[in-house]
Amino acid sequence: MKVRPLKLLHVSFILLLMLMITACGTSNKVEDTNTPANTVSEKAEETKEPEQVAKKERTITFITMLKEDEGVAGVLSKLAKDYIKENPHVTFKVDTQPQAGLTQKVAILAASNDLPDLVMGATEELQDIKQIIDIEKAFTELGLMDTLAPAAVALLKSGNKVQDGTFYGLPLEMNIEGIWYNKKMFADNNLQPPTTWDEMLAASDVFMSKGIQPFAVAGKEGWPTTRLLNGYVVRKLGKDAMMKVKSGEYKLTDPGFVEAATVLQEMGKKGFFGKGVNTLDYGTAQDLFLQGKAAMFYMGSWAIRDFNDPNKNLIGAENVGFFNVPNVAGGVGTMDQYSLNNGSTTSINLSKFDDELKNFLKYVFSRYGDRAMSENGLVSGFLVNNPPAEIPPLTKLTLDLLAKAKEGYGPFEVYFNSKGGGEVPGFMQYLVEGSWTPQKFLEESEKSIRSE
Amino acid sequence: MHKVLTDWRAILVFLFPAVLIYTIVLLVPIVWSTVYSFYHGMVGINLSFNGWKNYEKMFSDSKFIYSFWLTIKYMLVVTPGQIVAGFLLSLLLVFYVRKFSVLMRTIIFFPVILPTVAVSQLFVKIFEIAPQYGLVNSILQYINLDFLVQAWLGQSSTAFWIICITDIWKAMGFYAIVLYAGVVSIPEETLDAARIDGAHGWRLVQSIVMPLLRPILVSSIIFSLNGTIKVFDSVYAMTAGGPGYSTTTLPIYMFNVTFAYWDYGYGSAMAVVIFLQSLLLTLLIYMFARKDV
């Protein structure tokens, strides 16, 4: 039978249309992520109450770099499980993304108006584009403001680059930073925790002479090295140094910064950071410290979840000590001042702040402080009303330090724009490997943080 | 059948779906991205018309200029590396390893099918210095060349070359197989005649094999160039553009500007530059190849 070309054309067109319609029918669920989303959901028993059947299914998604059972995500997941027992129409999903790509993923979701309910990280960017909620407003509405520790609220407000008394991130963890050290290595070499930067350099010389790497630093990430730089800067110029950089009162090319960068570069050249510092990621650097291959490790107290893990900590939790960034000769900063932060803060999607989410947040965050401490030993910016009877020693140490900390300051990049925050840690790699002079590093950093 | 295939309407019916998909998947995003390149900010959030400013910015953006030339350098190293290595392997397969040709072809092609990230991580381990020496540093230490032990991927002077080696190793098998197919299609009589005339070894390759292989060589070069101009995954997996920005190729810089610095407009402008680079190179090579036909 002859088939007329025109009839063939009609048939092909119809087939093509059917194909397009089928392809266009996509799911609106949040499952389209790179990693399998972890779902915490317990459905009610088969016979449901009529009012429960009537409630619309709601999925609350939390995007984070953590796994479902890890740290902050672990606490939220457990609380969510309890909430879902009473509210079976709700599902809680943890969408885990690699840390390196989390900001990019959040940017893509924000651009397509598909931001999850709770977002860890990129708080400043989301604040700029007004897609997240003012926490004080939200928590006041929910009657949750008194669950937040005043110190945490103060830190969040001071860390907000807008400086208008608002804050947009939840302090699901509260961290104090400093130098964790191997007590046995220090004792074996008759060394005390240093109180000045010169003493710390002298101790490093001793370790080098004994074939021990003084510092474990994750140079590949960039920010662990800028933390060390920041430590010198705030001791030399005061805890408000970076705020003054932001306001323009200071420039990164000022003499205090040059001195700090020069000292850091010298430490790198002397081998205090070991070979190939720019190839080490966070996990590898931490392993060097916890396996007894490095004497000191600058890090935040979030690391104690690994310090408390006997599978990771081979030197033993009792062998881990802490000292604050030491004083610098001629500097105005003091050891009463600590680097404090709330980690990667978690924000709430403004467009999804509906009644279901409000009920969920009320339930979860009225219990968060206690649950985080009792189950995970996690120190957060939420008040602990019922502290557990037994707290791991390093967690207790962190709590004591937080109570002791008179004043706080943020990391080096805290007030930088997105470009500066992304580029400057990368420039640190040039500084520590010695291919850039301190002056060039600071000039490029200054240009980067001031660019539009 | 002949009547159907010569009827323009039938041709349109058969070509239409493919052309439509090609248009939607390839051409529409190119046009869309070009439009975005005249804007500043993030799509759907704070996009504002910027005119030519993004393109003007490129001339004064030292990192863009660096990334642009780094990508050209990468292309000039990796493309010849892949083609030459692939060509030599194809000659090996045709002229020297006939008995085990099937096995050798499988081994040579194997890296091509491995995920790029897996190959990148493999080479990261091979060139590792901390927490322990990788294969290369271990061998150097073993043969008393300790002065050569270094952080290959952790210093700006060597990281680029390690990435080049990785990408040449990964892809040379592909070009080996493509060129192998070309070499085996050369009639045996032609090769025999050349041998009778006294052409052997390299002379045979230079005067007979390469000229006859020209169309496939040109296609391979174009294919390789298009891949190297757009290199992203291997660099990202190995160094993420570091140390500093020493291995930040243009696609990596474009990615950072768009998704880390939240400037979709400027990132789109870079995408347009990459597209034009790719197009220009393809046309140049194609014109060069056609000249000699």
Side-chain angles (χ1 to χ4, degrees), chain A residues 104 129 275 423 429-430 433, chain B residues 45 63 133 155-156 244 246:
Chain A
Q104 286 86 340
I129 59 175
K275 287 182 189 171
E423 287 192 332
Q429 295 174 334
Y430 284 134
E433 74 164 5
Chain B
I45 296 165
K63 278 162 216 71
Y133 287 175
Q155 56 196 25
S156 46
S246 58

Side-chain angles (χ1 to χ4, degrees), chain A residues 280-296:
Chain A
L280 294 184
D281 58 23
Y282 179 96
T284 311
Q286 183 176 266
D287 283 343
L288 278 177
F289 175 67
L290 294 179
Q291 290 170 15
K293 293 176 184 166
M296 293 175 277

Side-chain angles (χ1 to χ4, degrees), chain A residues 371-383:
Chain A
R371 202 63 177 267
M373 177 56 63
S374 63
E375 291 207 14
N376 290 56
L378 188 69
V379 180
S380 72
F382 286 77
L383 293 167

Side-chain angles (χ1 to χ4, degrees), chain A residues 5 9 12 16 103-104 107-108 111 125 129 220 275-276 278-280 284 418-419 423 426-427 429-430 433 435-436, chain B residues 7 13 16 20 42-43 45 63 129-131 133 151 153-156 236 238 242-246 255 259-262:
Chain A
L9 178 69
S12 303
L16 187 67
T103 306
Q104 286 86 340
I108 293 163
E125 289 85 354
I129 59 175
K220 191 176 182 184
K275 287 182 189 171
N278 289 335
T279 62
L280 294 184
T284 311
S418 302
K419 189 164 189 239
E423 287 192 332
F427 296 164
Q429 295 174 334
Y430 284 134
E433 74 164 5
S435 56
W436 277 7
Chain B
D7 188 324
V13 163
F16 182 72
L20 182 70
M42 201 61 185
V43 175
I45 296 165
K63 278 162 216 71
I129 189 171
Y133 287 175
L153 283 163
Q155 56 196 25
S156 46
Y236 199 79
M238 293 182 86
Y245 53 88
S246 58
F255 178 80
F259 298 114
Y261 313 156
W262 294 53

Side-chain angles (χ1 to χ4, degrees), chain A residues 151-427:
Chain A
V153 173
L155 187 64
L156 286 163
K157 286 183 178 179
S158 71
N160 184 354
K161 62 183 183 183
V162 175
Q163 293 294 297
D164 61 355
T166 60
F167 63 100
Y168 288 79
L170 288 166
L172 299 188
E173 51 184 301
M174 182 101 174
N175 299 303
I176 192 161
E177 295 181 8
I179 299 169
W180 304 88
Y181 70 98
N182 185 319
K183 287 182 184 171
K184 187 174 183 305
M185 274 183 185
F186 269 67
D188 289 349
N189 290 283
N190 298 313
L191 293 167
Q192 294 295 324
T195 55
T196 69
W197 202 278
D198 288 336
E199 283 176 16
M200 190 169 74
L201 294 179
S204 301
D205 282 324
V206 170
F207 286 125
M208 286 295 291
S209 68
K210 300 284 175 73
I212 299 169
Q213 183 173 317
F215 289 90
V217 181
K220 191 176 182 184
E221 316 276 351
W223 62 264
T225 355
T226 58
R227 290 299 211 270
L228 285 170
L229 180 75
N230 193 46
Y232 194 100
V233 163
V234 298
R235 290 292 180 258
K236 184 75 185 181
L237 300 174
K239 70 174 186 63
D240 296 327
M242 297 319 292
M243 208 184 284
K244 290 177 180 174
V245 167
K246 177 182 156 57
S247 69
E249 188 180 338
Y250 285 178
K251 285 194 166 37
L252 289 178
T253 47
D254 290 345
F257 292 97
V258 176
E259 184 181 319
T262 306
V263 167
L264 260 292
Q265 187 170 71
E266 279 306 307
M267 290 172 73
K269 279 182 180 168
K270 282 184 171 178
F272 289 178
F273 305 143
K275 287 182 189 171
V277 61
N278 289 335
T279 62
L280 294 184
D281 58 23
Y282 179 96
T284 311
Q286 183 176 266
D287 283 343
L288 278 177
F289 175 67
L290 294 179
Q291 290 170 15
K293 293 176 184 166
M296 293 175 277
F297 181 51
Y298 182 104
M299 200 40 67
S301 52
W302 61 78
I304 60 173
R305 67 171 177 251
D306 291 331
F307 292 174
N308 285 334
D309 182 351
N311 293 320
K312 289 187 181 173
N313 184 355
L314 304 184
I315 62 174
E318 69 288 351
N319 198 22
V320 177
F322 177 93
F323 63 85
N324 195 3
V325 173
N327 289 322
V328 162
V332 301
T334 67
M335 284 180 80
D336 291 330
Q337 297 158 348
Y338 288 79
S339 177
L340 300 173
N341 65 73
N342 294 114
S344 274
T345 51
T346 295
S347 53
I348 303 169
N349 186 343
L350 180 62
S351 65
K352 290 188 177 169
F353 193 57
D354 56 12
D355 288 338
E356 283 295 353
L357 185 61
K358 287 177 189 177
N359 290 336
F360 177 82
L361 294 174
K362 253 192 257 189
Y363 181 92
V364 165
F365 291 115
S366 56
R367 294 162 173 76
Y368 184 84
D370 284 347
R371 202 63 177 267
M373 177 56 63
S374 63
E375 291 207 14
N376 290 56
L378 188 69
V379 180
S380 72
F382 286 77
L383 293 167
V384 179
N385 300 313
N386 302 300
E390 275 188 42
I391 300 176
L394 287 174
T395 307
K396 180 141 190 347
L397 171 66
T398 305
L399 288 168
D400 292 343
L401 287 168
L402 282 166
K404 199 168 92 172
K406 289 209 170 79
E407 290 172 297
Y409 57 88
F412 196 63
E413 307 86 8
V414 67
Y415 300 115
F416 291 172
N417 56 17
S418 302
K419 189 164 189 239
E423 287 192 332
V424 173
F427 296 164

Side-chain angles (χ1 to χ4, degrees), chain B residues 223-240:
Chain B
F223 196 79
S224 175
L225 279 174
N226 274 301
T228 51
I229 278 286
K230 290 175 279 197
V231 66
F232 178 86
D233 39 6
S234 54
V235 178
Y236 199 79
M238 293 182 86
T239 60

